[in-house]
Amino acid sequence: MPWSNNSSEPARRARRLAGLLAFRRRPARPGETPRDIRFGLPLLLVGCALLSLAPLLSQPDRFMPEPLAAMPRWSDEPIQPILTPPVGDPKRVALGRDLFNDGRLSGSGKLPCAACHDVAANGSLPGRGSMSLDNPTVFNTGLSFRLGWQGRDRTLEDQALATLKTPAIAHGVPLERMIARLRNDAELMERARAVYGRDLDQAAVVDAIAAYERSLVTPGSRFDRWLTGDQSALSAQERRGYAQFKQLGCISCHQGRNVGGNLLQRHGIFRPLASPNPRVLRVPSLRNVEVTPPYFHDGSAPTLEIAVTRMAASQLDVDLGAQDAGDIAAFLRSLTGTYQGRPLRRTRQ
């Protein structure tokens, strides 16, 4: 191939590369493609392609829309922050809030959802309440891929409907009869028509409650502030705890925006953890875990340090010392967020 005497610098580099890549060890046999064509030409094309990329590699800021240095801190972290609460239809959310607090949606007429999920404190109540397993918090449930300890419900609507129909809530009273009580409330019906264009029915009730529950998110934790660049948000102990949390492998089940809640897992892999049944559980979110004791599906761990130590032994076959357990517990306490501008707190027992 002829080369021009006034070729550009990239062309001269490519020519030198071609000289290195081309080789002729023997003449080609009749009908055989010469070795310099078979081997040298493809490598020459690769070399030219790499040379053409040289300007981009030497000036990344010019060609990349967002330089790597401008990427957020959490882009390299397995946990992502909750930045802002979701925005829903305010009338629908307000209607769902009032239904969530309305005892008429129970068999007795006196047991609202809020009786077991206190959003003024931690979104839960200590112990099992009216259910067979420990009472989980309602905060951040919209960030989980499944709901309930066993992950039976795929959506908040599914869970709201199943809860209203469960024997512990309904006491044998059909849901339609509970909703009939609400239809006697003229003001509530007027609000329902403004949102749904009809009186309350089963679909509207569970939709409104689910819309309200999706609004129950807790941004503003100190850990989220650290993720978004506030270096002073975490203490040295909390940073050590987070490093241990990742190094030990806790992060393999507790990651993402909800620090869990995104897979099902068997417990008691190496050693017993808590009550053996149910054997497979939805991994719980660790957000706000500081204010939601006791821990595990049976509520058998009263403190974070005990829970961390037992989890390490059961799921990782690791015997944690007191300092490591304390460091990890300190990190977990940094996950406590805020609701409506107020930090979550424990429910009074």
Side-chain angles (χ1 to χ4, degrees):
M1 179 183 295
W3 296 90
S4 169
N5 290 331
N6 60 354
S7 58
S8 64
E9 180 60 24
R12 286 194 294 273
R13 291 178 184 173
R15 182 173 24 178
R16 288 198 296 270
L17 180 62
L20 293 173
L21 296 177
F23 51 88
R24 301 176 179 83
R25 293 192 177 180
R26 62 171 173 78
R29 297 188 180 97
E32 180 183 46
T33 303
R35 291 177 71 106
D36 59 331
I37 300 298
R38 280 190 292 154
F39 297 100
L41 184 57
L43 292 174
L44 172 62
L45 294 175
V46 171
C48 291
L50 292 174
L51 287 170
S52 69
L53 293 174
L56 278 73
L57 299 175
S58 62
Q59 303 179 59
D61 290 352
R62 178 181 171 187
F63 295 95
M64 297 182 184
E66 185 172 16
L68 186 60
M71 294 294 286
R73 169 194 290 273
W74 68 86
S75 62
D76 293 327
E77 294 292 347
I79 298 175
Q80 291 82 49
I82 296 176
L83 296 177
T84 55
V87 178
D89 176 0
K91 291 183 179 179
R92 185 163 60 130
V93 170
L95 179 63
R97 177 198 62 213
D98 290 349
L99 294 174
F100 188 87
N101 288 276
D102 199 322
R104 290 174 290 185
L105 284 173
S106 65
S108 67
K110 301 176 181 178
L111 187 66
C113 305
C116 294
H117 299 285
D118 181 8
V119 299
N122 64 0
S124 179
L125 284 178
R128 303 187 182 191
S130 60
M131 302 300 180
S132 60
L133 300 175
D134 189 64
N135 192 26
T137 180
V138 72
F139 282 115
N140 302 313
T141 51
L143 302 179
S144 293
F145 90 123
R146 298 280 185 88
L147 301 162
W149 275 107
Q150 294 175 268
R152 290 174 175 168
D153 301 312
R154 293 179 177 270
T155 68
L156 288 169
E157 289 83 358
D158 290 344
Q159 187 184 49
L161 182 59
T163 301
L164 291 172
K165 289 184 174 182
T166 193
I169 302 298
H171 294 293
V173 177
L175 178 55
E176 182 57 37
R177 190 185 303 173
M178 302 178 203
I179 296 174
R181 299 169 183 164
L182 302 177
R183 294 198 187 104
N184 295 322
D185 187 328
E187 188 270 337
L188 191 63
M189 288 305 101
E190 183 179 349
R191 292 172 57 197
R193 294 185 198 106
V195 174
Y196 295 104
R198 63 183 190 273
D199 286 349
L200 280 177
D201 54 18
Q202 177 177 293
V205 166
V206 298
D207 179 79
I209 291 175
Y212 171 60
E213 289 176 339
R214 287 192 180 91
S215 75
L216 299 175
V217 296
T218 59
S221 72
R222 289 188 296 108
F223 185 76
D224 283 359
R225 284 164 38 206
W226 179 78
L227 281 177
T228 54
D230 183 353
Q231 298 288 330
S232 65
L234 295 185
S235 68
Q237 182 187 26
E238 290 162 343
R239 292 194 299 272
R240 279 198 315 270
Y242 179 47
Q244 277 281 78
F245 189 83
K246 292 189 288 186
Q247 181 180 347
L248 288 172
C250 312
I251 202 73
S252 63
C253 290
H254 295 282
Q255 19 56 26
R257 275 201 302 166
N258 220 11
V259 200
N262 53 11
L263 72 159
L264 301 172
Q265 183 60 272
R266 181 167 62 92
H267 67 91
I269 294 174
F270 295 101
R271 309 175 209 176
L273 175 68
S275 299
N277 294 315
R279 191 65 172 160
V280 175
L281 301 168
R282 178 186 60 87
V283 175
S285 167
L286 295 182
R287 285 195 176 273
N288 309 307
V289 69
E290 173 191 16
V291 298
T292 56
Y295 306 108
F296 304 147
H297 58 285
D298 62 352
S300 61
T303 69
L304 274 177
E305 286 78 5
I306 291 174
V308 166
T309 301
R310 282 168 53 180
M311 278 292 294
S314 171
Q315 303 303 98
L316 303 171
D317 201 24
V318 172
D319 294 310
L320 283 182
Q323 178 175 336
D324 288 339
D327 288 350
I328 293 174
F331 152 64
L332 294 177
R333 292 185 178 100
S334 76
L335 294 170
T336 303
T338 63
Y339 176 62
Q340 295 182 338
R342 299 188 304 273
L344 269 62
R345 58 174 177 80
R346 293 190 185 191
T347 302
R348 293 188 181 91
Q349 302 185 30

